[in-house]
Amino acid sequence: MADKDYTYSDVSEHSTKKDLFVVIHDKVYNASSFVDEHPGGEEVLLDVGGQDATEAFEDVGHSDEAREILDGLLVGKLKRQDGDPQPKSYAPAASSSSSTEGAGLGVGLYAIILIGGVLAFGAYKYLQSQQEGQ
């Protein structure tokens, strides 16, 4: 059943709580059975029902467990046609590299604070020794 091709038109017909399809990375998933169990609430799924939910899915940063559940909901793949909305370019690698850059900034900031603390401690000790010498 997961070998079936769906068009955007096909997917868009499945946008209700009891009949809910979503597209993620050009794969079509039947989320109908998962609506009530979705940790983010049913509204989140209903907002993207019948359409491409790739960006919404990836922006949340779903766990490996969530991706396994998603695999179990696979019903087919999206067959793109002329006039279909184009997918937004989503590069998971880009987001992980930007988070790596953010981590690098965090380490750099930590180093600056640490050096500042050492310098402040050194200045304190210097001033303390100057007062004892008077």
Side-chain angles (χ1 to χ4, degrees):
M1 187 162 160
D3 291 334
K4 185 171 179 182
D5 287 344
Y6 292 88
T7 64
Y8 254 109
S9 178
D10 296 333
V11 172
S12 68
E13 295 172 7
H14 302 272
S15 60
T16 65
K17 181 176 177 179
K18 296 198 181 297
D19 182 22
L20 188 71
F21 282 17
V22 294
V23 175
I24 299 173
H25 295 295
D26 286 351
K27 293 181 181 175
V28 180
Y29 299 92
N30 182 345
S32 307
S33 63
F34 191 66
V35 173
D36 290 328
E37 299 172 38
H38 189 261
E42 68 182 47
E43 299 81 20
V44 176
L45 287 176
L46 292 172
D47 283 346
V48 295
Q51 47 190 308
D52 193 327
T54 303
E55 185 176 17
F57 181 84
E58 293 296 352
D59 283 350
V60 171
H62 283 88
S63 66
D64 290 341
E65 182 183 357
R67 292 175 189 280
E68 288 175 21
I69 292 169
L70 189 64
D71 287 343
L73 303 176
L74 181 66
V75 292
K77 62 183 178 184
L78 183 68
K79 183 177 180 184
R80 293 192 177 276
Q81 298 178 328
D82 289 341
D84 284 348
Q86 290 303 309
K88 293 184 179 167
S89 60
Y90 187 84
S95 73
S96 63
S97 70
S98 66
S99 66
T100 303
E101 290 168 13
L105 177 63
V107 170
L109 187 58
Y110 177 74
I112 290 170
I113 291 170
L114 183 63
I115 291 169
V118 168
L119 289 173
F121 180 73
Y124 169 77
K125 286 303 230 178
Y126 174 77
L127 291 173
Q128 193 176 25
S129 69
Q130 290 297 326
Q131 286 181 342
E132 288 174 6
Q134 291 180 355

